[in-house]
Amino acid sequence: MTSSTPPATGPVIGPLTAALLSALPAGAVITDPVRLRTYECDGLTYHRATPAVAVLPETAEQVALVVRLCNEAGVPFVARGSGTGLSGGALPREDGVLIVTSRMRRVLEIDLADRRAVVEPGVTNLAITEAVREQGRYYAPDPSSQQVCSIGGNVAENSGGAHCLKYGFTVNHVEACEIVTPDGDLVTLDRMDPGYDLLGAFVGSEGTLGIATKITVRLSRAPEAVTTVLAAFENIEQGGRAVSAIIGAGIVPAAIEMMDALSIAAAEAAVACAYPAGAGAVLIVELDGPAAEVERQFERLREICSGAFELRVAAGPAERAAIWKGRKSAFAAVGRISPAYIVQDGVVPRTSLPRVLAAIDRLSAEHDIRVANVFHAGDGNLHPLVLFDDAEPGAGERAEVVSGAILDLCIEHGGSITGEHGVGVDKARYMPKMFSAADLDTMQLVRCAFDPRGLSNPGKVFPTPRLCGEVPGVRRGVHPLVESGRAEQF
């Protein structure tokens, strides 16, 4: 079936679909229910919803046109890149339009002198580095899914990655964004703009403030030297102490990643990464920078990791890739040892890692749910993989309890409910545990300044209803912050 199959019907969506079919090129509008199921979830398959209509624009002007038509019809819309998100941020609306940017994947400009590249939102993260690698440049933020995830999605989620410990998240590497506002205007937000940092507000807004259609990213110079080390420890506590000692010694590696025994077993089963046998934890540490500095840091690192029963140092790019192979494959690899799993994403202060990991072990035993731990140890960003058999009655519910309890642990220890995967639909209900009602109301004021009708990716980030009996959307009446004299409403 093709896009010529009967469009979605309904008093609102029907006429809108007809308008989209009329305005966009052939093949750009999908209405076939079977094809629409392709887009029913992002990387978090636990939440599913089939969109009423999906569109695949090829230009910013077409994105703007779709948004304007949605706005005129009062129909919600959701933007989606490669669909690799892990918080349900691109979960469609069954009563709305899904705007898929995967056909917008041109590298528009590379300016090595100013260390910039201008790309469309469907360009994959790794493709930016591949476009400038021979010129000794690269794009620093590197999510594990960088081969397939899109830069538009990275901007929406403020994605991170292994090397963000030293180099920062997406927001630190975006210079400007052309966006389609929720009412369909095409505007540019630039870091050099005077006044409020609207670009900073947009990056990480999870599609609630509009859709990026052109992104200017900062290119970094490739380091003079890189040393990648794998240290194998008998248990995760030893690895955790090594992480604290490395940071305590004043070393800021490009990356410090840790995997526990269960995640190592999953990676071995999937990609035969040949990590040291019997390891209770492996630590991957990457040092980069001027050669003399890297050499000095490596000597100190070797002293700190003297308790490791095996220490490997990559002799070149091939061995470096081999060390990273297991870590980069860990999420997908878990599918080899568990029929289903939830990827959680929380942050704790680095010094709390041993206590939190011990508490996760207790939760695992208490609920008879296995948890594999893979995490960015340097910045305390946990990625517990909560494993369960979805064919077993009640297992999914137990896994969800464990997953939520892990987020509670993060909050109790002064951390955050998300590190790099966004809030999405998955964690919206946890927001009141981390933020006060006044905090959430203030965030809503910002959102409403961009999107007063609440049509741009509704149902994400903010818990709904916000108050008992309150209909999600634009607040009616005087806002509590205004009433208390702490804010003005315009």
Side-chain angles (χ1 to χ4, degrees), residues 40 50 97 99-100 201 258 263 295 368 443 449-450:
E40 67 181 2
T50 304
V97 175
I99 302 173
V100 185
M258 190 182 291
S263 60
E295 184 177 350
D368 191 23
M443 294 180 200
F450 281 77

Side-chain angles (χ1 to χ4, degrees), residues 200-218:
F202 181 82
V203 178
S205 63
E206 305 191 32
T208 61
L209 305 185
I211 302 172
T213 49
K214 188 186 297 179
I215 300 149
T216 303
V217 300
R218 181 184 304 164

